Amino acid sequence: MEALLEVKDLTVAYHRKPVLENFNLTVQRGDIYGIIGNNGVGKTTLLKVITGLLRSDRGEVKIRLEGGKKATIGTLIEKPGLFKDMSAYENIKAKALFLGVKYAKKDVNRLLERVGLGDVGRKRTGAFSMGMKQRLGIALALVGDPDILVLDEPINGLDPQGMNEVRNLLLKIHEETGLTVLISSHILDELAKIATRFLVMGRGGKVIRNCTKEEFVQECGEENLDEYYVKLISDFSQDSVD
Ligand code: ADP
């Protein structure tokens, strides 16, 4: 099967200091890739290059559907940029207009329903809870039906209810459409409830683990995920010192 997304020998540096070096990743259609790593390992940088927000110094990112057609990406990097004096409905309309996608009233309403904001679609978004804002952010990323959804720390700062809402929404969308998702987070337990695969990144964008969620959970055994993760990355730090 041909990969939907292929990142090949990617190198990205800020002021000549490399953050990612010869980084490789292959994502199949329908994967939900949970990307884990300490602050500063280059998760956001990777996601920005994949979504085209940042240029790499070397390497390439190939995103294509079967038959060679270019796939599209929807993005939510941390918090959504919302027009807070406008309603959720108007925010979606504005995004569609910006992308040049034709969205009739029923399309906007369907999208609002999909993210569970059907009954508050006409309310000012400034008054939304964090969870509602993130769900609207995901709706905005879904405008135009992208093939890949890229979410950078979408549950950061959410309370348990907000996390629940976002998780259920992502699982529902994945079940309905088989959408491919890349999602970074350092809340491992939460990520384990969503992801089908785990990518653990270490310093310098090194790939410490790239495996199925089940393999990761099995490796972890009786230990809790956080403890196992800390051990994994400290082993890696030891290795890189030697
Ligand atoms: P993560 O998302 O894993 O926390 P980032 O990709 O945000 O990591 O950052 C990786 C490294 O690159 C960090 O050391 C960060 O300070 C640095 N960095 C990120 N963005 C910039 C920038 N615009 N200019 C300079 N350094 C940056």
Side-chain angles (χ1 to χ4, degrees):
M1 191 166 57
E2 200 167 284
L4 179 58
L5 168 71
E6 225 178 319
V7 177
K8 270 192 183 161
D9 298 323
L10 198 70
T11 296
V12 185
Y14 294 110
H15 315 296
R16 303 224 180 103
K17 192 168 162 268
V19 174
L20 299 174
E21 270 188 296
N22 298 316
F23 180 91
N24 289 285
L25 178 68
T26 302
V27 177
Q28 304 294 343
R29 187 183 261 279
D31 282 340
I32 302 183
Y33 243 103
I35 302 175
I36 316 149
N38 281 2
N39 287 339
V41 297
K43 302 182 296 296
T44 302
T45 301
L46 171 67
L47 295 178
K48 281 187 174 168
V49 173
I50 289 174
T51 54
L53 288 169
L54 190 70
R55 282 180 61 157
S56 65
D57 295 282
R58 251 184 296 130
E60 59 178 335
V61 177
K62 282 193 202 160
I63 309 163
R64 40 165 200 234
L65 299 169
E66 269 154 47
K69 209 174 129 239
K70 194 166 181 346
T72 53
I73 302 187
T75 318
L76 172 58
I77 304 255
E78 293 207 26
K79 290 185 182 63
L82 299 177
F83 297 109
K84 58 182 190 320
D85 288 323
M86 284 171 26
S87 67
Y89 181 95
E90 290 163 337
N91 270 277
I92 292 178
K93 267 288 209 195
K95 178 74 186 275
L97 208 66
F98 173 74
L99 290 181
V101 181
K102 277 215 175 84
Y103 256 39
K105 194 172 170 185
K106 69 169 182 0
D107 300 314
V108 181
N109 284 336
R110 197 183 305 135
L111 186 52
L112 284 167
E113 288 291 336
R114 248 176 119 189
V115 299
L117 294 173
D119 51 346
V120 290
R122 302 301 189 275
K123 293 220 164 92
R124 207 183 139 259
T125 60
F128 278 15
S129 70
M130 285 266 287
M132 288 160 80
K133 284 181 183 162
Q134 286 308 79
R135 279 185 286 144
L136 179 57
I138 292 172
L140 292 172
L142 289 173
V143 170
D145 285 323
D147 304 294
I148 306 174
L149 186 61
V150 170
L151 306 170
D152 190 18
E153 300 278 2
I155 51 177
N156 217 1
L158 291 183
D159 60 20
Q161 187 187 339
M163 276 192 212
N164 244 325
E165 291 170 0
V166 169
R167 180 203 323 134
N168 290 335
L169 167 62
L170 290 174
L171 289 174
K172 189 180 83 171
I173 293 171
H174 186 252
E175 197 183 297
E176 286 169 2
T177 65
L179 186 69
T180 307
V181 184
L182 301 183
I183 174 169
S184 78
S185 179
H186 46 249
I187 310 174
L188 267 162
D189 286 333
E190 194 51 40
L191 212 52
K193 291 178 190 158
I194 305 173
T196 60
R197 292 192 67 91
F198 270 174
L199 173 75
V200 182
M201 287 170 69
R203 242 180 318 126
K206 280 271 175 344
V207 175
I208 300 180
R209 276 290 183 286
N210 182 354
C211 58
T212 66
K213 193 255 303 281
E214 289 74 21
E215 282 165 348
F216 191 84
V217 171
Q218 201 172 13
E219 262 182 41
C220 165
E222 297 292 301
E223 244 166 324
N224 84 32
L225 286 177
D226 284 319
E227 278 169 19
Y228 180 64
Y229 162 74
V230 170
K231 212 153 83 184
L232 251 185
I233 57 165
S234 63
D235 284 352
F236 163 76
S237 307
Q238 297 281 333
D239 288 350
S240 47
V241 171
D242 293 344

